[in-house]
Amino acid sequence: MLDIDLSDLSQDKGARTTQLRHGDRLADLIDRAVAALGIEKSTFLRAAIAKEAQRILEESSHHVMSAEDAARFEAALDRKPTVTSKAKAAAKAYRARVVHAD
């Protein structure tokens, strides 16, 4: 089954346009897909662009770590931090500037 959501896209004819240069192979591919679906070319293009944009946004919103990366990350979180003289000075300066409501 085709995985293209055409709902609302045929009515979504706004004032914005996007120009795209392409060759004969892509033109033929688009024409064949449009004919197979029996829809207008602009409706097909809007649906295809929306589908791909949603896929990209979905993929880029997650970060998947390998088991090795996850183990390294967990070990780094569990490791006690090294207290340097700069860190001590920064903590002292912070306590001098910030008044807690305790």
Side-chain angles (χ1 to χ4, degrees), residues 76-84:
L77 289 175
D78 291 340
R79 197 170 30 252
K80 192 171 185 172
T82 304
V83 180
T84 63

Side-chain angles (χ1 to χ4, degrees), residues 27 36-37 47 79 88 97:
L37 291 173
R79 197 170 30 252
K88 288 180 185 178
R97 287 190 330 268

Side-chain angles (χ1 to χ4, degrees), residues 16-37:
R16 295 178 178 255
T17 62
T18 301
Q19 295 182 5
L20 173 70
R21 292 185 181 275
H22 57 79
D24 292 337
R25 282 184 18 199
L26 183 54
D28 182 54
L29 188 62
I30 293 168
D31 290 341
R32 288 173 34 218
V34 166
L37 291 173

Side-chain angles (χ1 to χ4, degrees), residues 46-66:
R46 282 193 300 275
I49 291 167
K51 179 182 175 185
E52 184 63 7
Q54 288 169 345
R55 184 194 66 78
I56 289 168
L57 292 174
E58 177 65 27
E59 281 185 12
S60 66
S61 68
H62 300 354
H63 179 76
V64 179
M65 286 193 264
S66 67

Side-chain angles (χ1 to χ4, degrees), residues 90-101:
K92 185 176 179 180
Y94 174 80
R95 283 192 296 274
R97 287 190 330 268
V98 177
V99 178
H100 295 283

